[in-house]
Amino acid sequence: MSRTGSDVLVIGAGAVGAAIAYFCSEAGLTVQVVDRGEPGSGTSSRCEGNILVSDKEHGPELDLAAYSLGVWQEDLEEHGAAWEFEQKGGIIVASQEQSMRSLRRALEAQRRHAISVTEVDSAELADLEPHLRDDAVGAALYPDDAQVMPMLVVSHLLAMARSRGAEVLSGREVTGMLHSGGRISGVRTPAGDLHADAVVNAAGPWAAEIARFAGVHLPIAPRRGYVMVTEPLPPRVFHKVYAAEYIDDVGSSASSLQCSPVVEGTPAGSILIGSSRERVGFSEAVNRDALRRIAANATSLFPFLRDVKVIRHYHGFRPYSPDHVPVLGPDPRADGLWHAGGHEGAGIGLSVGTGKLMAQALSGAPTDLDLAPFAPERFGEPTGGAQTIDEGDDL
């Protein structure tokens, strides 16, 4: 253990924090994970568990998605059953010739990143998804798209980290940062101070609040999304299926409500229906318009859903980054502080790639991907500048 405490202290015990803890402990670093709630009780407990390359545009996020897929399939292959890894494949449906042309352009860009994707015509699509609307003009099939059970991911990654000596402290809210010699040296909690050589901000949609404790600006904000869950059914949806409009919504920065159809089955028989995006802070007020639009979109994609009961719905707050690229790596504005956030709705899929890259960087090893495009300081400072830390202060 470091003379100042642990080598690495991770704030946030969701999927991203758990993956960082596991890969850091595997690299021989001493690790503590701190969370104000129970592990996985935030965003990770309120999502679908998707591992997707199909919805990523070319650029750093697609690079990270492809890398993360390799980590799921290779580094963690032996653990797949523990978190119900299911490589069901994804299908993007085009309902008009214009959207099919746009989809083809996206396919070409993704193929340049070595993403496996096949264009299918309407007849082939009917074979793949026989209950889908019958007027689709074509689609794209992504065989590598997969799904996991998020809470099992968190639980098992943390268990594997603990087996390598990591400590997980739940019910510990971070209320400030400690520093020594001009650098961040730990965190303050009501139960006592925790010291570390490196503090990793993996607090999901609350990452901006943690960054402010260190006197730096990080424009990560919550973006709310709903998921509807149907009664259990015999298998009728065999892939993750969504309309081409979903990609535009993922890449949009609009704060208003956006809805596009996303439908997928589960091993238990229930069908998960999305999607929506809206920036409403951390409001828990139910948006019934969002639920109506999600239902209407889903039945337009799969008409049989009109006669299926929805038994519940839930929502989560996804960590939105203004340029839709996660924030990964050390923060040069606050020595000792690192960030791993801003994954929005892709956090589960990108978690293990993020964890492995962060562990490489934290242990001083070369990283498999260049972290420069993910740099925390790329957003600059808001008008008036960031809060500064004076020598000798605890924040």
Side-chain angles (χ1 to χ4, degrees), residues 301-322:
L301 201 58
F302 285 95
F304 79 88
L305 288 172
R306 294 190 183 99
D307 300 318
V308 173
K309 293 180 181 178
V310 172
I311 58 174
R312 68 185 180 96
H313 64 78
Y314 59 91
H315 65 268
F317 298 104
R318 291 78 184 264
Y320 163 82
S321 170

PDB file of all heavy atoms in Angstrom, residues 301-322:
ATOM      1  N   LEU A 301     -42.841  -0.166 -34.630  1.00  0.00           N
ATOM      2  CA  LEU A 301     -41.763  -1.055 -35.042  1.00  0.00           C
ATOM      3  C   LEU A 301     -42.197  -2.517 -34.960  1.00  0.00           C
ATOM      4  O   LEU A 301     -41.942  -3.323 -35.867  1.00  0.00           O
ATOM      5  CB  LEU A 301     -40.542  -0.809 -34.154  1.00  0.00           C
ATOM      6  CG  LEU A 301     -39.164  -1.244 -34.654  1.00  0.00           C
ATOM      7  CD1 LEU A 301     -38.816  -0.573 -35.970  1.00  0.00           C
ATOM      8  CD2 LEU A 301     -38.104  -0.908 -33.598  1.00  0.00           C
ATOM      9  N   PHE A 302     -42.879  -2.860 -33.857  1.00  0.00           N
ATOM     10  CA  PHE A 302     -43.396  -4.222 -33.654  1.00  0.00           C
ATOM     11  C   PHE A 302     -44.895  -4.123 -33.360  1.00  0.00           C
ATOM     12  O   PHE A 302     -45.296  -3.940 -32.202  1.00  0.00           O
ATOM     13  CB  PHE A 302     -42.676  -4.904 -32.485  1.00  0.00           C
ATOM     14  CG  PHE A 302     -41.285  -5.369 -32.799  1.00  0.00           C
ATOM     15  CD1 PHE A 302     -40.191  -4.563 -32.500  1.00  0.00           C
ATOM     16  CD2 PHE A 302     -41.071  -6.614 -33.382  1.00  0.00           C
ATOM     17  CE1 PHE A 302     -38.909  -4.995 -32.784  1.00  0.00           C
ATOM     18  CE2 PHE A 302     -39.785  -7.057 -33.665  1.00  0.00           C
ATOM     19  CZ  PHE A 302     -38.698  -6.244 -33.372  1.00  0.00           C
ATOM     20  N   PRO A 303     -45.761  -4.234 -34.364  1.00  0.00           N
ATOM     21  CA  PRO A 303     -47.206  -4.041 -34.156  1.00  0.00           C
ATOM     22  C   PRO A 303     -47.826  -4.954 -33.104  1.00  0.00           C
ATOM     23  O   PRO A 303     -48.805  -4.563 -32.453  1.00  0.00           O
ATOM     24  CB  PRO A 303     -47.785  -4.338 -35.550  1.00  0.00           C
ATOM     25  CG  PRO A 303     -46.674  -3.983 -36.491  1.00  0.00           C
ATOM     26  CD  PRO A 303     -45.413  -4.397 -35.789  1.00  0.00           C
ATOM     27  N   PHE A 304     -47.270  -6.142 -32.874  1.00  0.00           N
ATOM     28  CA  PHE A 304     -47.876  -7.046 -31.890  1.00  0.00           C
ATOM     29  C   PHE A 304     -47.847  -6.473 -30.478  1.00  0.00           C
ATOM     30  O   PHE A 304     -48.628  -6.892 -29.605  1.00  0.00           O
ATOM     31  CB  PHE A 304     -47.178  -8.416 -31.914  1.00  0.00           C
ATOM     32  CG  PHE A 304     -45.859  -8.473 -31.185  1.00  0.00           C
ATOM     33  CD1 PHE A 304     -45.815  -8.761 -29.828  1.00  0.00           C
ATOM     34  CD2 PHE A 304     -44.662  -8.247 -31.854  1.00  0.00           C
ATOM     35  CE1 PHE A 304     -44.608  -8.820 -29.139  1.00  0.00           C
ATOM     36  CE2 PHE A 304     -43.449  -8.308 -31.183  1.00  0.00           C
ATOM     37  CZ  PHE A 304     -43.412  -8.591 -29.821  1.00  0.00           C
ATOM     38  N   LEU A 305     -46.980  -5.494 -30.235  1.00  0.00           N
ATOM     39  CA  LEU A 305     -46.871  -4.910 -28.903  1.00  0.00           C
ATOM     40  C   LEU A 305     -48.123  -4.136 -28.491  1.00  0.00           C
ATOM     41  O   LEU A 305     -48.308  -3.852 -27.300  1.00  0.00           O
ATOM     42  CB  LEU A 305     -45.646  -3.995 -28.818  1.00  0.00           C
ATOM     43  CG  LEU A 305     -44.287  -4.702 -28.813  1.00  0.00           C
ATOM     44  CD1 LEU A 305     -43.151  -3.675 -28.930  1.00  0.00           C
ATOM     45  CD2 LEU A 305     -44.110  -5.537 -27.543  1.00  0.00           C
ATOM     46  N   ARG A 306     -48.994  -3.821 -29.440  1.00  0.00           N
ATOM     47  CA  ARG A 306     -50.235  -3.109 -29.086  1.00  0.00           C
ATOM     48  C   ARG A 306     -51.090  -3.912 -28.110  1.00  0.00           C
ATOM     49  O   ARG A 306     -51.858  -3.349 -27.336  1.00  0.00           O
ATOM     50  CB  ARG A 306     -51.052  -2.816 -30.357  1.00  0.00           C
ATOM     51  CG  ARG A 306     -50.401  -1.846 -31.322  1.00  0.00           C
ATOM     52  CD  ARG A 306     -51.373  -1.415 -32.414  1.00  0.00           C
ATOM     53  NE  ARG A 306     -50.718  -0.538 -33.378  1.00  0.00           N
ATOM     54  CZ  ARG A 306     -50.238  -0.959 -34.558  1.00  0.00           C
ATOM     55  NH1 ARG A 306     -50.367  -2.232 -34.901  1.00  0.00           N
ATOM     56  NH2 ARG A 306     -49.657  -0.122 -35.378  1.00  0.00           N
ATOM     57  N   ASP A 307     -50.951  -5.227 -28.150  1.00  0.00           N
ATOM     58  CA  ASP A 307     -51.776  -6.088 -27.305  1.00  0.00           C
ATOM     59  C   ASP A 307     -51.015  -6.653 -26.108  1.00  0.00           C
ATOM     60  O   ASP A 307     -51.491  -7.589 -25.451  1.00  0.00           O
ATOM     61  CB  ASP A 307     -52.325  -7.254 -28.147  1.00  0.00           C
ATOM     62  CG  ASP A 307     -53.173  -6.777 -29.304  1.00  0.00           C
ATOM     63  OD1 ASP A 307     -53.975  -5.844 -29.098  1.00  0.00           O
ATOM     64  OD2 ASP A 307     -53.007  -7.310 -30.416  1.00  0.00           O
ATOM     65  N   VAL A 308     -49.847  -6.074 -25.817  1.00  0.00           N
ATOM     66  CA  VAL A 308     -48.994  -6.569 -24.733  1.00  0.00           C
ATOM     67  C   VAL A 308     -49.048  -5.597 -23.557  1.00  0.00           C
ATOM     68  O   VAL A 308     -49.035  -4.380 -23.736  1.00  0.00           O
ATOM     69  CB  VAL A 308     -47.541  -6.742 -25.234  1.00  0.00           C
ATOM     70  CG1 VAL A 308     -46.606  -7.082 -24.082  1.00  0.00           C
ATOM     71  CG2 VAL A 308     -47.485  -7.825 -26.309  1.00  0.00           C
ATOM     72  N   LYS A 309     -49.098  -6.131 -22.350  1.00  0.00           N
ATOM     73  CA  LYS A 309     -49.167  -5.298 -21.150  1.00  0.00           C
ATOM     74  C   LYS A 309     -47.770  -4.837 -20.724  1.00  0.00           C
ATOM     75  O   LYS A 309     -46.824  -5.624 -20.704  1.00  0.00           O
ATOM     76  CB  LYS A 309     -49.793  -6.077 -19.994  1.00  0.00           C
ATOM     77  CG  LYS A 309     -51.260  -6.415 -20.195  1.00  0.00           C
ATOM     78  CD  LYS A 309     -51.802  -7.192 -18.998  1.00  0.00           C
ATOM     79  CE  LYS A 309     -53.267  -7.544 -19.201  1.00  0.00           C
ATOM     80  NZ  LYS A 309     -53.792  -8.341 -18.058  1.00  0.00           N
ATOM     81  N   VAL A 310     -47.677  -3.573 -20.375  1.00  0.00           N
ATOM     82  CA  VAL A 310     -46.467  -3.032 -19.739  1.00  0.00           C
ATOM     83  C   VAL A 310     -46.666  -3.139 -18.236  1.00  0.00           C
ATOM     84  O   VAL A 310     -47.648  -2.624 -17.692  1.00  0.00           O
ATOM     85  CB  VAL A 310     -46.227  -1.575 -20.161  1.00  0.00           C
ATOM     86  CG1 VAL A 310     -45.095  -0.962 -19.337  1.00  0.00           C
ATOM     87  CG2 VAL A 310     -45.900  -1.501 -21.649  1.00  0.00           C
ATOM     88  N   ILE A 311     -45.745  -3.813 -17.564  1.00  0.00           N
ATOM     89  CA  ILE A 311     -45.922  -4.042 -16.126  1.00  0.00           C
ATOM     90  C   ILE A 311     -45.192  -3.016 -15.267  1.00  0.00           C
ATOM     91  O   ILE A 311     -45.526  -2.842 -14.093  1.00  0.00           O
ATOM     92  CB  ILE A 311     -45.489  -5.469 -15.736  1.00  0.00           C
ATOM     93  CG1 ILE A 311     -44.019  -5.718 -16.110  1.00  0.00           C
ATOM     94  CG2 ILE A 311     -46.391  -6.499 -16.393  1.00  0.00           C
ATOM     95  CD1 ILE A 311     -43.489  -7.063 -15.624  1.00  0.00           C
ATOM     96  N   ARG A 312     -44.224  -2.332 -15.838  1.00  0.00           N
ATOM     97  CA  ARG A 312     -43.547  -1.288 -15.072  1.00  0.00           C
ATOM     98  C   ARG A 312     -42.683  -0.446 -16.005  1.00  0.00           C
ATOM     99  O   ARG A 312     -42.464  -0.808 -17.169  1.00  0.00           O
ATOM    100  CB  ARG A 312     -42.671  -1.885 -13.960  1.00  0.00           C
ATOM    101  CG  ARG A 312     -41.461  -2.650 -14.427  1.00  0.00           C
ATOM    102  CD  ARG A 312     -40.738  -3.308 -13.258  1.00  0.00           C
ATOM    103  NE  ARG A 312     -39.564  -4.055 -13.669  1.00  0.00           N
ATOM    104  CZ  ARG A 312     -38.319  -3.578 -13.651  1.00  0.00           C
ATOM    105  NH1 ARG A 312     -38.089  -2.350 -13.215  1.00  0.00           N
ATOM    106  NH2 ARG A 312     -37.286  -4.326 -14.038  1.00  0.00           N
ATOM    107  N   HIS A 313     -42.233   0.665 -15.490  1.00  0.00           N
ATOM    108  CA  HIS A 313     -41.237   1.478 -16.194  1.00  0.00           C
ATOM    109  C   HIS A 313     -40.254   2.010 -15.169  1.00  0.00           C
ATOM    110  O   HIS A 313     -40.548   2.074 -13.964  1.00  0.00           O
ATOM    111  CB  HIS A 313     -41.901   2.621 -16.973  1.00  0.00           C
ATOM    112  CG  HIS A 313     -42.609   3.631 -16.111  1.00  0.00           C
ATOM    113  ND1 HIS A 313     -41.948   4.625 -15.413  1.00  0.00           N
ATOM    114  CD2 HIS A 313     -43.930   3.796 -15.830  1.00  0.00           C
ATOM    115  CE1 HIS A 313     -42.822   5.353 -14.753  1.00  0.00           C
ATOM    116  NE2 HIS A 313     -44.037   4.870 -14.977  1.00  0.00           N
ATOM    117  N   TYR A 314     -39.082   2.363 -15.620  1.00  0.00           N
ATOM    118  CA  TYR A 314     -38.093   2.978 -14.732  1.00  0.00           C
ATOM    119  C   TYR A 314     -37.275   3.968 -15.540  1.00  0.00           C
ATOM    120  O   TYR A 314     -37.336   3.992 -16.781  1.00  0.00           O
ATOM    121  CB  TYR A 314     -37.197   1.916 -14.087  1.00  0.00           C
ATOM    122  CG  TYR A 314     -36.404   1.049 -15.035  1.00  0.00           C
ATOM    123  CD1 TYR A 314     -35.126   1.413 -15.439  1.00  0.00           C
ATOM    124  CD2 TYR A 314     -36.929  -0.154 -15.508  1.00  0.00           C
ATOM    125  CE1 TYR A 314     -34.385   0.600 -16.295  1.00  0.00           C
ATOM    126  CE2 TYR A 314     -36.204  -0.968 -16.357  1.00  0.00           C
ATOM    127  CZ  TYR A 314     -34.925  -0.589 -16.755  1.00  0.00           C
ATOM    128  OH  TYR A 314     -34.208  -1.387 -17.607  1.00  0.00           O
ATOM    129  N   HIS A 315     -36.565   4.804 -14.850  1.00  0.00           N
ATOM    130  CA  HIS A 315     -35.731   5.785 -15.535  1.00  0.00           C
ATOM    131  C   HIS A 315     -34.373   5.867 -14.858  1.00  0.00           C
ATOM    132  O   HIS A 315     -34.208   5.491 -13.693  1.00  0.00           O
ATOM    133  CB  HIS A 315     -36.397   7.166 -15.559  1.00  0.00           C
ATOM    134  CG  HIS A 315     -36.564   7.771 -14.196  1.00  0.00           C
ATOM    135  ND1 HIS A 315     -37.709   7.597 -13.447  1.00  0.00           N
ATOM    136  CD2 HIS A 315     -35.730   8.531 -13.444  1.00  0.00           C
ATOM    137  CE1 HIS A 315     -37.569   8.232 -12.300  1.00  0.00           C
ATOM    138  NE2 HIS A 315     -36.382   8.805 -12.264  1.00  0.00           N
ATOM    139  N   GLY A 316     -33.414   6.343 -15.612  1.00  0.00           N
ATOM    140  CA  GLY A 316     -32.070   6.539 -15.074  1.00  0.00           C
ATOM    141  C   GLY A 316     -31.513   7.861 -15.540  1.00  0.00           C
ATOM    142  O   GLY A 316     -31.977   8.455 -16.529  1.00  0.00           O
ATOM    143  N   PHE A 317     -30.513   8.339 -14.822  1.00  0.00           N
ATOM    144  CA  PHE A 317     -29.827   9.580 -15.187  1.00  0.00           C
ATOM    145  C   PHE A 317     -28.456   9.217 -15.756  1.00  0.00           C
ATOM    146  O   PHE A 317     -27.577   8.738 -15.042  1.00  0.00           O
ATOM    147  CB  PHE A 317     -29.694  10.495 -13.965  1.00  0.00           C
ATOM    148  CG  PHE A 317     -31.025  10.908 -13.408  1.00  0.00           C
ATOM    149  CD1 PHE A 317     -31.509  10.327 -12.245  1.00  0.00           C
ATOM    150  CD2 PHE A 317     -31.798  11.850 -14.059  1.00  0.00           C
ATOM    151  CE1 PHE A 317     -32.744  10.695 -11.727  1.00  0.00           C
ATOM    152  CE2 PHE A 317     -33.041  12.228 -13.550  1.00  0.00           C
ATOM    153  CZ  PHE A 317     -33.508  11.649 -12.385  1.00  0.00           C
ATOM    154  N   ARG A 318     -28.301   9.438 -17.049  1.00  0.00           N
ATOM    155  CA  ARG A 318     -27.071   9.063 -17.727  1.00  0.00           C
ATOM    156  C   ARG A 318     -26.116  10.257 -17.757  1.00  0.00           C
ATOM    157  O   ARG A 318     -26.546  11.396 -17.943  1.00  0.00           O
ATOM    158  CB  ARG A 318     -27.377   8.612 -19.167  1.00  0.00           C
ATOM    159  CG  ARG A 318     -28.135   7.264 -19.264  1.00  0.00           C
ATOM    160  CD  ARG A 318     -29.598   7.429 -18.970  1.00  0.00           C
ATOM    161  NE  ARG A 318     -30.359   6.176 -18.950  1.00  0.00           N
ATOM    162  CZ  ARG A 318     -31.047   5.711 -19.986  1.00  0.00           C
ATOM    163  NH1 ARG A 318     -31.075   6.385 -21.120  1.00  0.00           N
ATOM    164  NH2 ARG A 318     -31.704   4.587 -19.883  1.00  0.00           N
ATOM    165  N   PRO A 319     -24.815  10.024 -17.582  1.00  0.00           N
ATOM    166  CA  PRO A 319     -23.850  11.131 -17.544  1.00  0.00           C
ATOM    167  C   PRO A 319     -23.543  11.664 -18.939  1.00  0.00           C
ATOM    168  O   PRO A 319     -22.773  11.090 -19.697  1.00  0.00           O
ATOM    169  CB  PRO A 319     -22.615  10.511 -16.888  1.00  0.00           C
ATOM    170  CG  PRO A 319     -22.723   9.047 -17.171  1.00  0.00           C
ATOM    171  CD  PRO A 319     -24.183   8.731 -17.246  1.00  0.00           C
ATOM    172  N   TYR A 320     -24.152  12.784 -19.261  1.00  0.00           N
ATOM    173  CA  TYR A 320     -24.058  13.407 -20.579  1.00  0.00           C
ATOM    174  C   TYR A 320     -22.807  14.273 -20.698  1.00  0.00           C
ATOM    175  O   TYR A 320     -22.515  15.096 -19.825  1.00  0.00           O
ATOM    176  CB  TYR A 320     -25.306  14.256 -20.807  1.00  0.00           C
ATOM    177  CG  TYR A 320     -25.228  15.286 -21.906  1.00  0.00           C
ATOM    178  CD1 TYR A 320     -25.444  14.936 -23.227  1.00  0.00           C
ATOM    179  CD2 TYR A 320     -24.924  16.614 -21.607  1.00  0.00           C
ATOM    180  CE1 TYR A 320     -25.380  15.886 -24.237  1.00  0.00           C
ATOM    181  CE2 TYR A 320     -24.866  17.571 -22.608  1.00  0.00           C
ATOM    182  CZ  TYR A 320     -25.090  17.200 -23.924  1.00  0.00           C
ATOM    183  OH  TYR A 320     -25.020  18.144 -24.906  1.00  0.00           O
ATOM    184  N   SER A 321     -22.068  14.083 -21.782  1.00  0.00           N
ATOM    185  CA  SER A 321     -20.903  14.913 -22.096  1.00  0.00           C
ATOM    186  C   SER A 321     -21.240  15.755 -23.318  1.00  0.00           C
ATOM    187  O   SER A 321     -21.795  15.231 -24.293  1.00  0.00           O
ATOM    188  CB  SER A 321     -19.687  14.021 -22.389  1.00  0.00           C
ATOM    189  OG  SER A 321     -18.617  14.766 -22.915  1.00  0.00           O
ATOM    190  N   PRO A 322     -20.927  17.051 -23.328  1.00  0.00           N
ATOM    191  CA  PRO A 322     -21.373  17.934 -24.416  1.00  0.00           C
ATOM    192  C   PRO A 322     -20.927  17.497 -25.807  1.00  0.00           C
ATOM    193  O   PRO A 322     -21.640  17.738 -26.785  1.00  0.00           O
ATOM    194  CB  PRO A 322     -20.753  19.289 -24.045  1.00  0.00           C
ATOM    195  CG  PRO A 322     -20.598  19.239 -22.569  1.00  0.00           C
ATOM    196  CD  PRO A 322     -20.273  17.815 -22.245  1.00  0.00           C
TER     197      PRO A 322
END
